[in-house]
Amino acid sequence: MKTVDITYRYEAQDIPARPRPSDSFAALNQLNEGNQAFAALFNGGSDEGARIQRVISVDPRDLGLLSDDSGLPKQRPFAAVLGCSDARVPIELIFNEGPNDLFVIRVAGNGLGSEVLGSLKYAVEQLSGSLKVIVILGHSNCGAITAATDVFLNPAEYLPFATKHSLRNILDGLLVVVQACARKIQSAFGPDISRHPGYRKALIEAAIVTNAALDAYSIQQEFGNNDPAGLQAVSGVYLLESRQVWAPCGGELKEIGLATAPRDPTGFVALGNAILQSGRIASLLQVSA
Ligand SMILES: [Zn+2]
């Protein structure tokens, strides 16, 4: 077992401000590289007894240590991230970022409720000088989507939620996605696939990545920019098992890293196919010899 130190380091001296990504390409790249660096700290290698240190530099301005005229740090995140409340997905940590880098919103199931949309609208309107991307981040084994999937597979499980309005709101929004994924899986593999031992798990994981992509599509329509270098919505799924962000993309072999939102219904069809063809989902639905 190796030891990993992750250190936030600031130096209280008047150094030049830490540069921020200049456009959405650079922002996406920084997030993907940050997640790869985080995952690499723990993955692979048999460096038994090794001590690995990761230093994340913090600009003293972002903690208010080098004050400007107002004496307060200026808010300047380069990405807004909507993630699930799940405690196993600490957003700044998994992207290798620090204070004032990310504008983070977390709700169970990372759905687009009115408060979430309002918060994103604030970020887009008030932080446009620094904001380059909006990230929708699901995660594997999401409890909210698991609950929605179980209700879809066994509608009697909806009854306990009947009098819990707030929980129903979360479930109802996710059920549509689960239903769409179930149809996609059945049209690809045939109706008998629902008896496959891996079906429930595959449906959960397909719904998680589809839900994030659907959110990103909605955000792109509402706030995005036609210029690819302008503000863009992207999505992915943080895999608890490998600590990497996963996002199958239509027409691309690359599955690791955040992906830009589908642009239209054709893009969603391509995404659905890419999800079913991904090694992750396909392995759950393999027909045993
Ligand atoms: Zn979750």
Side-chain angles (χ1 to χ4, degrees):
M1 189 93 178
K2 58 190 170 188
T3 300
V4 175
D5 292 325
I6 299 176
T7 305
Y8 284 107
R9 176 182 295 159
Y10 76 88
E11 293 172 57
Q13 52 183 293
D14 198 358
I15 54 174
R18 188 152 64 96
R20 296 292 161 115
S22 56
D23 58 26
S24 62
F25 296 117
L28 189 55
N29 209 32
Q30 181 163 327
L31 289 170
N32 283 334
E33 285 186 355
N35 175 246
Q36 283 296 294
F38 173 71
L41 291 175
F42 308 97
N43 295 349
S46 54
D47 33 6
E48 187 74 25
R51 187 166 204 117
I52 297 168
Q53 188 180 34
R54 156 77 50 185
V55 176
I56 300 171
S57 294
V58 177
D59 193 315
R61 290 165 191 79
D62 291 332
L63 291 173
L65 295 166
L66 290 179
S67 60
D68 59 12
D69 292 342
S70 71
L72 296 173
K74 183 175 183 289
Q75 192 173 192
R76 50 175 194 145
F78 70 88
V81 184
L82 168 60
C84 182
S85 302
D86 194 294
R88 297 167 293 182
V89 192
I91 305 290
E92 277 90 352
L93 191 63
I94 66 167
F95 285 117
N96 215 26
E97 297 294 347
N100 216 356
D101 291 327
L102 307 178
F103 182 93
V104 177
I105 307 162
R106 295 176 71 174
V107 292
N110 44 274
L112 293 178
S114 57
E115 282 84 356
V116 169
L117 281 168
S119 301
L120 286 173
K121 191 170 177 58
Y122 168 83
V124 170
E125 290 182 351
Q126 302 298 320
L127 307 174
S128 59
S130 63
L131 197 70
K132 306 301 177 196
V133 289
I134 300 176
V135 179
I136 314 294
L137 187 70
H139 68 95
S140 61
N141 294 77
C142 181
I145 293 184
T146 299
T149 304
D150 287 340
V151 163
F152 173 77
L153 295 173
N154 180 13
E157 293 201 15
Y158 194 73
L159 286 177
F161 296 100
T163 56
K164 297 172 184 164
H165 183 71
S166 51
L167 289 176
R168 269 178 55 193
N169 269 350
I170 294 175
L171 272 189
D172 290 348
L174 297 173
L175 272 168
V176 178
V177 176
V178 174
Q179 186 176 33
C181 289
R183 280 202 183 153
K184 183 81 182 174
I185 291 174
Q186 296 209 352
S187 71
F189 294 91
D192 288 347
I193 195 68
S194 62
R195 291 202 286 273
H196 189 286
Y199 176 69
R200 173 178 173 272
K201 175 77 172 160
L203 183 53
I204 291 169
E205 296 302 320
I208 288 168
V209 67
T210 305
N211 182 53
L214 181 62
D215 281 358
Y217 173 79
S218 305
I219 292 298
Q220 181 68 29
Q221 299 301 314
E222 184 134 1
F223 303 119
N225 196 309
N226 286 331
D227 173 4
L231 184 65
Q232 296 294 311
V234 301
S235 68
V237 174
Y238 176 73
L239 302 180
L240 296 175
E241 55 272 35
S242 67
R243 294 156 295 279
Q244 288 177 307
V245 172
W246 171 73
C249 314
E252 291 183 37
L253 292 174
K254 177 182 86 70
E255 289 189 8
I256 295 301
L258 296 158
T260 51
R263 295 295 184 208
D264 48 37
T266 308
F268 263 103
V269 172
L271 174 67
N273 293 335
I275 291 170
L276 295 190
Q277 288 160 10
S278 68
R280 194 155 185 279
I281 301 296
S283 65
L284 291 168
L285 293 173
Q286 256 172 7
V287 179
S288 52

